[in-house]
Amino acid sequence: MPRIHIRVQTEIFDPTHESASLLAGHSDVGAMASFIGMVRGDGGLRSLELEHYPGMTESMMTRIAESAATRFGLSGCTIIHRVGRLGVGAPIVLVICTAAHRGTAFQAVEFVMDWLKSRAPFWKKEEFCDGRTQWVQPREHDAQCLRRWDDADGNSLDIPAGR
């Protein structure tokens, strides 16, 4: 059974601690791949305010991790996503996937991030240095990235429904 760790939090995360925690007591891991997403300062961005729907967000993140674990044969998956007001350069998301081989660990991290960007219930409001604010709208690029995980016939392989 893969180890799944999901958290939504305001606090900064420690990638070294989270990696060690996912690996602790497990000798079946041949590869660990990770991704840390950070707030970019494009276009004069000052900060990003992230909101979520507690309970629903964690449930969707768990389904994404479980789907990745099944699809790629993972031994473990950690997803931590921050909420609240985050300044430029602040880490937002951490994804760590462990597997027997590096290829599946790398693919799983990309799969998780594509699903998080497109389907996890987070709302993001940008605040700019000139005082403007705007809600981040869905991007076609993110939808394109998600479609690459469709099956060979082009059928969407959606994350299973909630429990």
Side-chain angles (χ1 to χ4, degrees):
M1 191 71 179
R3 297 167 309 281
I4 306 287
H5 303 137
I6 304 298
R7 287 199 316 274
V8 176
Q9 62 190 44
T10 57
E11 304 83 21
I12 196 163
F13 46 77
D14 178 354
T16 302
H17 171 78
E18 298 303 332
S19 297
S21 177
L22 192 58
L23 291 172
H26 297 279
S27 60
D28 59 340
V29 175
M32 177 172 48
S34 63
F35 172 82
I36 299 171
M38 296 174 289
V39 178
R40 289 187 315 270
D42 297 350
L45 187 74
R46 176 185 300 170
S47 65
L48 193 59
E49 180 82 26
L50 289 97
E51 298 178 5
H52 76 112
Y53 192 105
M56 178 189 288
T57 305
E58 293 86 351
S59 177
M60 178 58 81
M61 289 169 61
T62 298
R63 291 193 307 263
I64 291 167
E66 289 172 347
S67 182
T70 299
R71 182 176 186 137
F72 298 101
L74 299 180
S75 53
C77 181
T78 294
I79 305 172
I80 301 173
H81 207 298
R82 295 179 67 200
V83 293
R85 188 171 189 263
L86 304 173
V88 171
I92 296 177
V93 62
L94 173 67
V95 175
I96 307 171
C97 293
T98 58
H101 304 284
R102 69 173 184 225
T104 51
F106 283 130
Q107 285 183 311
V109 168
E110 286 189 287
F111 175 87
V112 168
M113 280 307 305
D114 288 344
W115 278 95
L116 281 175
K117 289 281 289 179
S118 298
R119 299 291 171 87
F122 289 100
W123 294 271
K124 301 172 187 174
K125 184 168 63 172
E126 298 172 318
E127 178 186 333
F128 296 90
C129 294
D130 64 7
R132 287 181 300 120
T133 62
Q134 68 183 23
W135 290 98
V136 174
Q137 299 302 311
R139 295 182 173 112
E140 178 55 29
H141 177 263
D142 294 333
Q144 288 173 354
C145 288
L146 188 59
R147 283 193 292 272
R148 73 184 170 132
W149 301 108
D150 291 350
D151 70 13
D153 297 323
N155 299 313
S156 178
L157 299 175
D158 209 0
I159 299 298
R163 300 185 201 318

